[in-house]
Amino acid sequence: MTRFQRLAAATVAAAFLLVVIGVVVRATDSGVACPNWPGCFPGQFLPGFDSDGHVWIEWLHRTVAAVIGFLILGLAALAWLDHRDRRSILWPSLAAVVLVGFQAWLGGRTVQLGNTGESVTAHLAAAMALVGLLVYLLVRSAYPAHVGGRGSGNQRFTLLAAFAAAAVFAVLLFGANVTASDAGLIFPDWPLMNGSLIPVTPEGRADLADLYGAHALHRYVAAVVFVILAGAASIAYRRRGEQPRLARLAVAIVALYAAQVVVGGLQVLFLLAPWTQTLHVALGALVWGGSVALAVASYYEARIAAPVGGEAAEAGAGPQRSTVGEQIRAYVALTKPRIIELLLVTTVPAMVLATREVPGLPIVDWARLTFWTLVCGTLAAGSANAINQYLERDIDERMARTRRRPLPASQVTPERAVVFGIVLGAISVALMAWTVNLLAAFLTLLAIGFYVVIYTILLKRSTPQNIVIGGAAGALPPVIGWAAVTGNVALPALLMFLIVFYWTPPHFWALALRIRGDYAAAGVPMLPVVRGIAETSKQIGLYTILLVALTAVFAVVARMGPIYAIAAAVLGALFLWRAYILWRQGTSPEASTAQAIRLYRYSITYLSLLFAAVALDTVVRV
């Protein structure tokens, strides 16, 4: 091991120790034992020998934090001395110095604010981010400076591992929220909640709704994250012959997570005994660190496996020489801005409708939530689209409609495209959690993961039902908008999800009818290619009937007024008429293509006007 690696390993170990001590501080209520910062008492740093145990616990926490600060300064110095030519080590090392300084400032603020729930949650989030950055440095330093030439290798598993790591970070924040709101013992049983999987707030106890929601969400999210980790471990295990270290690490992560879930149950059974809290967060930190290590290692393992000259000829050629403006336009094109506009059309009306669930919400607060939800939603959709283009660059090269996209046109390298997508996704989820709420952030993460993993990686090339199942990702924006305003997910939000979900197949299959030749040339099993024009037209009609029926059900469940009812009826009738005309064309390629184009264009107008009617109806009635 090099001296940088040895120091990085020591710093990672010290960071894990600090997390454990921090939990002990919280579990024993030692956080306010030292009223001053950075020293415990005015005029002295070292507590008196007659001080009680709480003072010494808090002092130990601060001392270890100070030691880590010096270790990170040493890391940055070694990065400058030994690896100044490796930006992937130098810049993250300098970023760690900034982050540890921010963490120290947060620690001081936590003391000043009397260990409020929000400050403790922010402190833990920053600590975990620092752990993740240090783990990255440790793993990155184990690989040579240049691996795999200029290519990025096959990063499909890296994307899944990165998604799993983000999900683990999210569940840690949900757990911190439970602690911050003192909701840890709101339910006396486990794994059920008051004997039910879906707890119901007792009548007349509205004050318990937030506590019930915080704890229930933590358990639900924990279950979803377990499925994600298990899926990643399963795929890694099937590839154990090629990459045995990644397989062992992925399986170990799932085992640690399962143990953490059990300890979570013990917290309830032992009434939040300090040892259960400490062990629960310690295991969580290990799972988080292991997930980061898995994502980073899989990225560099894929680069090692790539051909020396780059991944195929496309990467070896490198990007075309271009100006800064052209590069910016290429990266913007990676995000598919026109698709983003359509997704956001369904978000704002859902937020307008959700205001009925939060009476008295100031317009300034609503505007703030809307602004950040749209910003984060734009970044998230751009992330998913950029990663989608990375994964489908071979398909795009064979399709006339997509040959001019940045990757087939060699305007951006595949490696930069995938890193751009991952970074954009991380920023969107983190920003959503900070400016909106955790539930909206987690749903945003799920939308990105579903579009990338389920639709693009698993379904797109394997089944003609790809767009039916994969459409769930594009149907989540109204649910995210609802959660941004209310902090929960209610039946009207789920019905809006279903409306977009059932709108997606007619919309996309109409486009697929128009460019079925492209899909056939690229080998993508879209419905028009596999089942033909007549069957596709029939399926478009059936899904349109379901869509229009759902809009009627939504009117009743969401208690919509006449503006929405009339708009839904008229728009739905026109949609059905368009679908009927398409079906009547039979198998005529020319006629069906012309009608498919008209239906595709109308479907965009339909969705926009339908959700505009939701917003207008709500505003007028309020």
Side-chain angles (χ1 to χ4, degrees):
M1 293 178 70
T2 65
R3 59 181 182 174
F4 182 89
Q5 289 174 295
R6 288 194 294 271
L7 184 57
T11 309
V12 167
F16 277 109
L17 176 62
L18 180 63
V19 169
V20 172
I21 297 174
V23 181
V24 174
V25 169
R26 178 70 179 180
T28 58
D29 290 324
S30 302
V32 293
C34 292
N36 276 43
W37 189 90
C40 264
F41 300 101
Q44 66 181 88
F45 177 75
L46 188 67
F49 290 104
D50 57 342
S51 301
D52 63 18
H54 296 292
V55 173
W56 283 103
I57 292 173
E58 173 62 11
W59 181 85
L60 179 62
H61 179 228
R62 297 185 188 185
T63 302
V64 173
V67 170
I68 290 176
F70 286 110
L71 289 175
I72 290 176
L73 286 173
L75 266 182
L78 284 182
W80 176 259
L81 292 172
D82 298 347
H83 303 296
R84 71 177 68 181
D85 58 332
R86 297 174 64 178
R87 290 181 298 176
S88 58
I89 288 181
L90 177 62
W91 289 110
S93 297
L94 297 177
V97 174
V98 176
L99 187 54
V100 77
F102 176 69
Q103 173 74 342
W105 176 82
L106 269 181
R109 287 292 296 164
T110 301
V111 173
Q112 294 170 7
L113 295 173
N115 273 14
T116 61
E118 293 79 4
S119 63
V120 170
T121 301
H123 195 48
L124 176 67
M128 290 300 176
L130 182 61
V131 167
L133 184 56
L134 293 173
V135 168
Y136 161 82
L137 285 169
L138 177 60
V139 177
R140 175 63 187 100
S141 63
Y143 290 91
H146 303 288
V147 286
R150 297 172 65 179
S152 59
N154 186 348
Q155 298 293 354
R156 293 192 168 210
F157 183 75
T158 300
L159 293 169
L160 178 57
F163 174 52
V168 169
F169 191 83
V171 77
L172 290 174
L173 293 186
F174 275 97
N177 187 49
V178 171
T179 302
S181 56
D182 289 326
L185 294 178
I186 195 67
F187 302 118
D189 50 349
W190 184 89
L192 298 177
M193 294 165 281
N194 287 342
S196 173
L197 285 174
I198 304 177
V200 178
T201 305
E203 200 170 329
R205 293 301 307 274
D207 57 308
L208 295 179
D210 289 342
L211 299 180
Y212 272 41
H215 197 122
L217 279 174
H218 178 51
R219 295 196 189 184
Y220 295 150
V221 171
V224 172
V225 173
F226 179 77
V227 173
I228 294 170
L229 291 176
S234 174
I235 292 174
Y237 186 76
R238 288 203 297 268
R239 302 167 63 220
R240 64 189 181 279
E242 305 169 20
Q243 297 174 327
R245 289 184 298 178
L246 295 184
R248 288 193 294 268
L249 180 56
V251 172
I253 290 170
V254 173
L256 282 172
Y257 190 82
Q260 188 204 22
V261 170
V262 173
V263 174
L266 293 177
Q267 285 193 104
V268 176
L269 299 179
F270 285 88
L271 304 179
L272 294 182
W275 70 268
T276 61
Q277 296 184 58
T278 304
L279 186 57
H280 190 56
V281 177
L283 288 172
L286 287 173
V287 172
W288 160 241
S291 300
V292 173
L294 181 66
V296 176
S298 63
Y299 175 78
Y300 286 103
E301 289 288 340
R303 294 195 66 189
I304 288 174
V308 174
E311 187 189 12
E314 59 171 10
Q320 297 176 351
R321 297 181 66 87
S322 56
T323 64
V324 174
E326 289 171 337
Q327 279 288 292
I328 292 174
R329 285 192 291 273
Y331 279 101
V332 170
L334 279 176
T335 66
K336 301 181 184 177
R338 295 181 65 182
I339 294 179
I340 293 176
E341 293 173 5
L342 193 58
L343 292 175
L344 298 183
V345 160
T346 64
T347 304
V348 175
M351 299 183 74
V352 173
L353 182 62
T355 57
R356 297 193 318 197
E357 304 295 313
V358 188
L361 179 68
I363 186 65
V364 174
D365 289 345
W366 182 87
R368 177 186 60 80
L369 288 173
T370 302
F371 172 79
W372 285 115
T373 301
L374 294 181
V375 168
C376 298
T378 299
L379 295 175
S383 164
N385 290 331
I387 297 172
N388 170 267
Q389 288 196 53
Y390 162 79
L391 292 168
E392 295 186 354
R393 61 196 185 281
D394 58 326
I395 294 176
D396 288 344
E397 194 172 16
R398 295 197 294 267
M399 294 177 62
R401 186 176 67 95
T402 56
R403 283 175 189 163
R404 294 183 180 179
R405 286 179 174 174
L407 286 172
S410 297
Q411 296 171 334
V412 180
T413 63
E415 178 183 351
R416 290 181 178 177
V418 70
V419 171
F420 172 70
I422 292 174
V423 171
L424 210 59
I427 292 173
S428 69
V429 175
L431 197 58
M432 184 76 86
W434 183 31
T435 60
V436 183
N437 60 51
L438 281 177
L439 179 58
F442 186 70
L443 291 172
T444 300
L445 176 64
L446 283 185
I448 296 172
F450 202 95
Y451 186 73
V452 170
V453 178
I454 304 300
Y455 172 65
T456 306
I457 294 179
L458 298 180
L459 299 176
K460 182 72 175 281
R461 305 176 192 234
S462 60
T463 171
Q465 295 299 309
N466 47 24
I467 197 60
V468 177
I469 303 171
L476 277 172
V479 183
I480 294 170
W482 184 282
V485 174
T486 66
N488 60 51
V489 176
L491 186 56
L494 295 178
L495 283 172
M496 283 187 283
F497 168 87
L498 290 176
I499 287 172
V500 181
F501 182 81
Y502 280 99
W503 166 87
T504 303
H507 165 75
F508 201 88
W509 282 335
L511 175 64
L513 278 172
R514 176 188 177 188
I515 57 173
R516 56 189 177 275
D518 267 3
Y519 282 125
V524 180
M526 284 296 176
L527 192 64
V529 176
V530 176
R531 304 291 294 276
I533 297 173
E535 180 63 22
T536 303
S537 301
K538 175 184 174 182
Q539 291 296 321
I540 287 175
L542 292 175
Y543 273 91
T544 303
I545 292 172
L546 288 172
L547 168 64
V548 174
L550 274 170
T551 61
V553 173
F554 175 75
V556 176
V557 172
R559 307 187 310 279
M560 302 305 298
I563 294 178
Y564 170 81
I566 294 171
V570 174
L571 292 170
L574 289 174
F575 208 146
L576 288 169
W577 176 249
R578 289 286 184 190
Y580 174 74
I581 293 176
L582 176 63
W583 175 71
R584 285 290 303 271
Q585 298 304 316
T587 58
S588 169
E590 296 79 9
S592 62
T593 298
Q595 292 302 328
I597 293 172
R598 295 188 181 96
L599 178 62
Y600 172 74
R601 290 173 178 168
Y602 175 74
S603 67
I604 298 174
T605 303
Y606 171 85
L607 191 70
S608 302
L609 292 180
L610 182 72
F611 275 80
V614 171
L616 181 61
D617 187 280
T618 304
V619 170
V620 170
R621 296 185 71 198
V622 169

